[in-house]
């Protein structure tokens, strides 16, 4: 399914960019010869601090300086700096997650070593010490749901050595304002320090609502973080605590129409009861619901109600065709406009508290055998919010929604209601998450054996929220409902919880005696056993037609599932020379199953009330090499991998009988093979880094019901074990989503040869490129049914993105620094996600990323680090 021209375009972009940066600069570098060196990069990929070049894991580490210079301002931007990483979004930008090596949903983000935290896909980065991306299953040490990898976000800790503070602000186009203030305060010398950071993030929406002054796809949030660092007993006892507050209140994502299907029956009804067959067709289609409307006093009589709905339905197709035509003819900027919605307040809110406490006690060496450290990490999160947005890109004529994704890794509480036919955006009680991890670690001999054992517990209480629903949708202007309003997709939440318990152990043994001709040889084995349990109570929904309000039923329903699984790690690494590490590893990952809680599952393709755990087995060969090239230093890290993926958990969206919902299905098996390269070259005043990922993903087994619900029993395409009641088809031809065959970036930084009295000045540019990426598992089915023109509506074709920046730090030896930046220099339009419902609603919509942004930044610092 990949386009050969697109592959060549991406490769050409990366190769030309790399060539220009690699071969162009030496002449300039020779003008100012100087010794070059590579910085030591410390990572925590194995839950201890280690040199990245000594760790047998494919890791990308982005430090605080690189975060700023590469324009990584939100979680989403990490994909532009790490190989094999994509960001996926579902219901707006607050419910996204990482896909690593094509495995969406199997990546856990850690904040201060606790799962979750303020790491939504639009969360701003401020006062962050580092971001690490670990590719491949990491479930032995990092626990729950890490079948794809882990992303470690480390906030800056308080330091004991100096009073330090800074204030910075960035201003730019689209009303851009990013401001951060930091204060690091040593309270008791070498014992107690505190750190306070506050942040404001604003950018005007870049999608205009036609005919109004409103804008969608806005960024607007405030953040605050307070942390305490304490140590005693000569540093053997330490305690680090951080409290983080994240408050979002902004216009939601603006969707635009990418493809249409006007053949649906609802789009081709008679225009009124006076049209030929109008009354007969209208009665057949709307008679029952209009009977309810008349009985509730919402319509004067049956014929008036039927006529009203036919006239509403008659507006849908012309509006859909007109908007699609406008976008096709409008050129580059047309996607920055969308029709207005007169019923829905399109905004999204999120209020989230995160607290983490890390306590460590070092017992030193016990019995002259092993060192012993005991560490406990407690985490607490509480979040609530809501997103209201037009899924259809038509001002809500065909679909608008008040929602949060059922499967979001960063779930938060929603309690939406309805008054008449207008939605009320509401938040329920806080959705809370409790985690606790205890680690016991030690070292035997002179690093002869490094070992760790531990236990993990996580609890997600399901809130009691009988005042509102998590997801409402209005389909086809509500013509199938008595209220002409919104329909609930999920039941009322009425308690219960989801828990995970786990025990794990891992050890690295020095077996260098087996290979005395090399520097060192290590074997690592790790095992983790997890037990998952989910018990959720819900109540059904009835609608008070006179008010439109949703009312819980008296019956309380229990849904229950449990599963258990193991994660394993086995690796062998050889330090061939002091500068060359080679390794091989195989890992198994387990991701627990769960519950699909929907009100009406009839007709949903591949639906099951309980979905199964997914498992991943991968094999990886890698090398990490530091080398000197004359006066230059270089670093080259690479990995080859094969991932065997089974019982794949995929999120489906479907609309049946006027109700839209999301649910999880198991999509059988796939194999992903690929290669990753990361390199750095430092010479003279130049620092050049690059990364590249190649992947070859494919479904190897997927037999299921047609995702478009069009192939029925008796069709020649039905395969075993089809029955008279259900047709199963072979879906393995669909391209694997959320991964590109080619992806990479090249960054070049040049530091101007200024004297120290003038400060440090530099310029930097980053070129990112990727080949086509599909957003849905059913891409091929959509192309088969709706034609090749749909291809670009279910995918993002190859594109390149360029960021440039100039910095002058400590201007003329002062405490002031300044910078200027342009992100997305060429103003390319690229997609964040698509929502394809051509078979059920006739629309395929797109959410685009932000356009070109530019601005200036000033910073003032005092004290010493």
């Amino acid at each position: 399914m990949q386009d050969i021209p697109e592959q060549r375009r991406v490769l050409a972009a990366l190769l030309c960019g790399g060539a220009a940066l690699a071969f162009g600069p030496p002449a300039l570098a020779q003008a100012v010869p100087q010794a070059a060196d590579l910085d030591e990069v410390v990572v925590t990929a194995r839950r201890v601090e280690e040199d990245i070049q000594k760790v047998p894991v494919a890791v990308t580490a982005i430090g605080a300086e690189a975060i700023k210079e590469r324009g990584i301002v939100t979680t989403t931007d990490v994909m532009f700096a790490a190989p094999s990483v994509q960001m996926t979004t579902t219901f707006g930008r607050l419910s996204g997650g990482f896909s690593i090596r094509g495995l969406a949903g199997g990546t856990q983000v850690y904040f201060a070593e606790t799962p979750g935290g303020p790491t939504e896909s639009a969360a701003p980065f401020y006062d962050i010490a580092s971001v690490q991306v670990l590719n491949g299953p990491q479930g032995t040490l990092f626990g729950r749901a890490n079948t794809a990898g882990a992303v470690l976000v480390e906030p800056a800790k308080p330091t004991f050595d100096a009073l330090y503070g800074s204030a910075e602000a960035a201003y730019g186009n689209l009303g851009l304002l990013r401001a951060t203030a930091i204060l690091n305060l040593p309270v008791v010398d070498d014992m107690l320090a505190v750190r306070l950071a506050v942040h404001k993030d604003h950018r005007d929406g870049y999608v205009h609502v036609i005919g109004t002054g409103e804008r969608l796809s806005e960024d607007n949030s405030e953040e605050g973080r307070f942390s305490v660092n304490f140590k005693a007993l000569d540093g053997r006892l330490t305690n680090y605590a951080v409290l983080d507050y994240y408050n979002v209140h902004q216009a939601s994502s603006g969707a635009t129409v990418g493809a249409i299907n006007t053949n649906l029956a609802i789009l081709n009804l008679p225009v009124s009861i006076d049209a030929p067959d109008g009354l007969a067709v209208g009665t057949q289609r709307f008679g029952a619901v209009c009977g309810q409307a008349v009985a509730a006093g919402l319509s004067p009589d049956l014929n008036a109600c039927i006529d009203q709905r036919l006239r509403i339905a008659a507006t849908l197709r012309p509006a859909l065709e007109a908007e699609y035509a406008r976008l096709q003819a409008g050129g580059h900027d047309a996607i920055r406009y969308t029709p207005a919605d007169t019923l829905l307040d399109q905004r999204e809110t999120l209020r989230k508290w995160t607290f983490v406490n890390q306590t460590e006690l070092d017992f030193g060496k016990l019995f002259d055998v092993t060192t012993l450290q005991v560490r406990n990490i407690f985490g607490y999160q509480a979040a609530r919010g809501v997103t209201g947005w037009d899924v259809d890109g038509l001002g809500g004529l065909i679909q608008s929604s008040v929602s949060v994704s059922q499967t979001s890794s960063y779930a938060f509480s929603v309690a939406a209601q309805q008054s008449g036919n207008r939605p009320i955006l509401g938040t329920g009680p806080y959705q809370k998450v409790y985690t606790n991890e205890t680690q016991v670690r030690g070292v035997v001999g002179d690093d002869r054996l490094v070992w760790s054992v531990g236990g993990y517990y996580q609890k997600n209480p399901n809130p009691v929220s009988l005042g509102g629903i998590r997801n409402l949708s209005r389909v086809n202007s509500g013509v199938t409902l008595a209220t002409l309003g919104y329909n609930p997709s999920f039941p009322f939440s009425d308690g219960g919880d989801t828990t995970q318990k786990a025990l794990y152990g891992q050890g690295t043994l020095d077996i260098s005696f087996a290979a005395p001709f090399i520097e060192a040889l290590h074997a690592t084995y790790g095992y983790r056993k997890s037990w998952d349990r989910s018990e959720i109570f819900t109540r059904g929904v009835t609608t008070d037609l006179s008010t439109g309000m949703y009312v819980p039923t008296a019956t309380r329903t229990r849904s229950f599932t449990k599963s258990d699984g193991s994660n394993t790690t086995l690796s062998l690494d050889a330090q061939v020379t002091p500068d060359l590490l080679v390794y091989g590893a195989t890992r198994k990952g387990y991701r627990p199953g769960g519950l699909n809680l929907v009100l009406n599952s009839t007709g949903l393709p591949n639906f099951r009330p309980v979905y199964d755990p997914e498992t991943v087995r991968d094999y990886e060969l890698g090398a990490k090499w530091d080398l000197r090239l004359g006066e230059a230093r270089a670093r080259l890290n690479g990995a080859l991998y094969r991932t065997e993926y089974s019982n794949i958990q995929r999120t489906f969206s479907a609309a049946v009988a006027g109700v839209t919902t999301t649910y999880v299905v198991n999509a059988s098996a796939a194999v992903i093979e690929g290669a990753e390269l990361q390199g750095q070259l430092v010479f003279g005043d130049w620092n050049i880094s690059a990364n590249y990922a190649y992947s070859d993903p494919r479904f190897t087994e997927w037999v299921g019901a047609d995702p478009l619900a069009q192939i029925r029993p008796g069709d020649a395409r039905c395969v075993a074990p089809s029955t008279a009641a259900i047709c199963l088809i072979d879906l393995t031809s669909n391209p694997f989503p959320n991964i590109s065959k080619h992806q990479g970036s090249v960054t070049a930084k040049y530091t101007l040869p200024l004297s120290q009295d003038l400060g440090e000045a530099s310029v930097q540019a980053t070129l990112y490129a990727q080949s086509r990426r599909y957003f849905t598992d059913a891409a091929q089915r959509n192309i088969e049914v709706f034609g090749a023109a749909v291809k670009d509506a279910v995918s993002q074709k190859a594109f390149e993105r360029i960021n440039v920046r100039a910095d002058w730090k400590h201007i003329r030896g002062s405490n002031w620094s300044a910078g200027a930046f342009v992100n997305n220099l060429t103003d390319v339009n690229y997609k964040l996600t698509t929502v394809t419902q051509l078979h059920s609603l006739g629309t395929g919509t797109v959410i685009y990323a932000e356009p070109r942004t530019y601005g200036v930044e000033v910073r003032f610092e005092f004290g010493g680090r």
Side-chain angles (χ1 to χ4, degrees):
M1 292 299 300
Q2 295 281 352
D3 282 349
I4 297 300
E6 288 190 354
Q7 294 180 20
R8 290 174 178 167
R9 172 182 166 185
V10 172
L11 285 172
L14 291 172
L15 292 174
C16 291
L21 297 175
F23 296 110
L28 295 173
Q30 291 169 5
V32 189
Q34 62 183 64
D37 208 352
L38 296 171
D39 293 331
E40 180 181 353
V41 179
V42 176
V43 296
T44 54
R46 296 193 289 188
R47 306 304 292 270
V48 294
E49 293 187 349
E50 299 177 280
D51 183 348
I52 192 173
Q53 295 301 97
K54 309 299 182 185
V55 180
V57 178
V59 185
T60 300
I62 313 169
E65 185 175 356
I67 288 173
K68 178 181 294 294
E69 292 180 344
R70 295 192 186 187
I72 302 173
V73 296
T74 70
T75 310
T76 300
D77 296 326
V78 174
M79 65 178 280
F80 301 120
S84 298
V85 175
Q86 299 275 0
M87 177 60 72
T88 65
T89 58
T90 49
F91 287 83
R93 294 163 297 151
L94 292 181
S95 57
F98 286 101
S99 170
I100 298 180
R101 293 180 176 174
L103 277 64
T107 302
Q108 180 66 66
V109 182
Y110 281 72
F111 175 80
E113 296 198 60
T114 297
T119 53
E120 283 74 20
S121 54
F125 278 156
Y126 72 102
D127 201 29
I128 296 296
S130 70
V131 176
Q132 301 170 48
V133 181
L134 282 54
N135 291 10
Q138 305 295 327
T140 304
L141 293 178
F142 285 96
R144 196 172 198 266
N146 287 284
T147 50
V151 179
L152 315 181
V153 179
E154 283 297 327
K157 288 184 178 181
T159 58
F160 301 100
D161 52 357
L163 172 68
Y164 166 79
S166 66
E168 67 177 58
Y171 303 89
N173 67 321
L174 292 175
L176 176 68
L177 169 61
R178 286 197 301 267
T180 307
I182 299 168
L183 177 64
N184 185 92
L185 179 63
V187 179
V188 180
D189 186 39
D190 205 32
M191 179 179 288
L192 179 65
V194 298
R195 189 179 185 97
L196 175 66
V198 293
H199 181 77
K200 170 65 180 177
D201 190 70
H202 176 80
R203 178 193 38 74
D204 292 343
Y206 52 85
V207 177
H208 300 258
V209 179
I210 297 172
T212 74
E214 299 177 44
R215 292 187 175 191
L216 302 177
S217 296
E218 177 192 27
D219 285 337
N220 196 65
S221 62
E222 298 87 32
E223 295 77 32
R225 188 178 301 144
F226 180 71
S227 50
V228 180
N229 207 358
F230 170 79
K231 63 180 180 179
L233 303 178
D234 295 325
R236 292 188 296 111
L237 173 65
T238 62
N239 194 91
Y240 166 59
V242 55
L243 176 66
D244 188 278
Y245 174 68
Y246 180 34
N247 184 41
V248 180
H249 45 99
Q250 61 196 23
S252 56
S253 300
T256 56
V257 178
I260 63 174
N261 171 28
T262 58
N263 294 323
L264 300 178
I266 192 70
L267 303 179
N268 294 279
L269 297 176
V271 296
S272 69
I273 61 173
D274 297 324
D277 296 324
L279 182 57
V281 173
T283 301
Q284 180 184 17
R285 188 83 185 204
F286 303 120
V289 71
C290 278
Q292 297 175 359
V294 172
L298 300 178
S299 188
D301 60 68
L302 192 64
N303 282 2
C305 176
I306 294 171
D307 185 68
Q308 177 191 29
R309 286 154 203 277
L310 285 174
R311 292 179 183 274
I312 293 173
T315 66
L316 302 180
R317 177 172 176 173
L320 186 60
E321 291 175 330
E323 179 62 10
Y324 182 69
R326 181 188 73 81
L327 291 165
Q328 294 300 300
H332 178 274
D333 293 329
I335 63 166
R336 305 300 178 197
Y337 293 84
T338 190
D341 190 325
T342 60
L343 288 182
L344 179 64
D345 183 8
Q346 295 191 73
R347 62 181 172 88
E348 53 190 0
T349 64
L350 171 62
R351 180 169 293 178
K352 189 167 192 176
W353 293 90
T354 301
F355 174 74
V356 179
N357 190 83
Q358 303 177 9
T359 303
E360 181 171 344
L361 180 59
D362 188 346
F363 289 92
K365 199 162 190 177
L366 292 184
F367 310 111
D368 203 31
V369 175
T370 181
T371 63
L372 183 68
Q373 298 90 34
V374 178
R375 193 162 184 246
N376 194 81
I377 305 171
F378 171 78
Y380 167 78
Q381 297 168 69
R384 61 182 182 183
V386 64
T387 295
W389 67 303
D390 285 338
V391 189
D392 62 357
L394 280 176
L397 285 178
I398 289 182
Q399 185 185 8
S400 61
S401 177
V402 180
S403 59
V404 62
S405 173
Q406 178 191 16
T407 57
S408 171
S409 299
Y410 320 114
F412 45 88
S413 177
V414 175
Q417 260 291 357
Q418 182 177 241
S419 177
N421 67 349
R422 301 187 68 92
I424 302 171
L425 277 64
T427 59
Y430 277 103
Q431 176 73 58
K432 300 176 181 179
V433 182
Y434 301 89
T435 62
N436 195 81
E437 180 174 3
T438 301
Q439 306 170 351
V440 183
R441 306 179 306 202
V443 178
V444 177
D446 186 14
D447 289 337
R448 178 66 62 187
L449 172 65
V450 180
W451 60 271
S452 64
V453 296
Y456 177 80
Y457 176 76
Q458 177 170 321
K459 181 174 182 177
N460 298 53
N462 189 48
V464 176
S465 181
L466 302 180
I469 308 294
R470 191 184 69 217
N471 187 299
L472 309 178
S473 58
R474 186 172 188 255
V475 173
N476 294 321
S477 296
V479 293
T480 59
L481 302 179
T483 60
L484 285 175
Y486 284 71
N487 221 347
S489 303
F490 302 107
F492 283 98
S493 174
D494 196 20
D497 57 51
T498 297
T499 62
Q500 181 178 84
K501 301 174 184 178
L503 296 173
Y504 67 88
Q506 183 162 306
T508 298
L509 181 65
D510 187 339
I511 55 174
S512 300
F513 63 86
F517 48 86
I518 63 174
E519 292 287 324
L521 183 67
H522 301 94
T524 298
Y525 178 74
Y527 179 83
R528 186 186 194 100
K529 180 69 174 183
S530 300
W531 298 269
D532 290 272
R533 180 182 183 276
S534 186
E535 182 181 37
I536 305 296
F537 295 96
T538 59
R539 293 183 187 269
V541 183
T542 60
T543 304
D544 183 339
L545 297 182
S546 63
T547 64
M549 300 289 286
Y550 305 116
V551 181
T553 61
T555 304
R556 191 175 189 236
T557 301
R558 175 181 181 263
S559 300
F560 178 81
T561 187
K562 66 178 182 178
S563 62
D564 63 83
S566 61
N567 298 274
T568 60
T569 296
L570 176 63
S571 68
L572 186 69
D573 65 89
Q575 194 72 50
V576 181
T577 72
D579 295 323
L580 175 62
L581 176 79
V582 296
Y583 68 90
T586 179
R587 296 163 293 202
K588 176 190 172 187
Y590 153 82
R591 184 182 179 197
L595 298 169
N596 282 315
L597 302 173
V598 301
L599 280 175
N600 182 11
S601 61
T602 304
L604 295 177
N606 300 288
F607 178 86
R608 292 174 56 213
V610 176
Y611 56 91
D612 297 327
E614 70 177 20
T615 57
V616 171
R617 167 68 71 181
D618 87 329
Y619 306 88
E620 183 176 309
L621 295 174
K624 300 185 176 185
W625 188 24
D626 286 353
L627 62 157
R628 182 175 292 278
L629 303 171
E631 291 297 320
R633 290 299 304 271
R635 173 168 292 166
L636 182 62
N637 296 346
L640 300 172
Y641 68 89
R642 175 185 171 90
T643 302
E644 298 172 353
Y645 194 10
S646 58
N647 262 357
I648 303 169
Q649 295 173 10
R650 289 302 196 197
T651 301
F652 271 24
S653 294
V656 177
V659 180
T660 63
T661 189
T662 59
Y663 55 100
V664 177
V665 303
N666 292 104
S668 292
V671 168
I672 306 170
E673 296 173 326
E676 296 161 347
L677 290 172
Q678 298 185 75
Q680 184 180 12
L681 181 64
V682 178
F683 56 95
D685 294 311
W686 288 89
N687 189 330
I688 300 173
S689 60
N691 68 74
Y692 169 74
Y694 167 82
S695 66
D696 180 20
R698 58 194 181 278
F699 288 107
T700 56
E701 179 186 347
W702 184 11
V703 174
D706 180 12
L708 305 190
Q710 293 194 355
I711 300 177
R712 303 294 185 181
D715 192 291
R717 290 167 286 185
C718 297
V719 298
S722 295
T723 67
I726 186 170
C727 169
L728 302 178
I729 63 173
D730 185 352
L731 295 164
T732 56
S733 62
N734 283 279
F736 204 84
N738 302 310
I739 191 170
S740 297
K741 184 173 283 290
H742 302 285
Q743 177 189 5
S745 67
V746 181
T747 298
K749 178 181 177 181
Y750 177 69
T751 301
L752 277 66
L754 302 180
S755 69
Q756 287 188 335
D757 294 341
L758 295 178
E760 178 185 327
S762 63
V763 291
Q764 177 170 288
T766 297
L767 166 67
Y768 170 86
Q770 70 171 57
S771 59
R772 188 177 293 269
R773 168 195 176 189
Y774 289 89
F775 293 99
T776 172
D777 298 272
Q780 180 60 27
R781 282 291 296 133
N782 277 278
I783 295 169
E784 288 172 358
V785 173
F786 303 112
V790 172
K791 186 174 184 177
D792 286 343
V794 297
S795 66
Q796 169 59 55
K797 62 183 180 181
F799 76 96
E800 299 86 38
R801 184 179 187 266
I802 300 173
N803 289 356
V804 295
R805 183 179 177 95
D807 283 289
W808 189 2
K809 300 176 183 177
H810 305 296
I811 300 171
R812 301 183 67 86
S814 72
N815 293 335
W816 289 91
S817 301
F821 60 88
V822 183
N823 294 333
N824 192 7
L825 176 68
T826 57
D827 199 23
V828 63
N829 289 331
Y830 62 94
K831 303 177 180 73
L832 292 175
T833 192
T834 63
V835 181
T836 306
Q837 300 179 102
L838 293 166
H839 65 292
S840 55
L841 295 178
T843 61
T845 55
V846 177
I847 296 177
Y848 284 92
E850 65 185 36
R852 179 193 300 118
T853 57
Y854 52 86
V856 296
E857 183 177 278
V858 293
R859 178 184 179 91
F860 176 78
E861 301 174 81
F862 64 90
R865 291 179 182 271

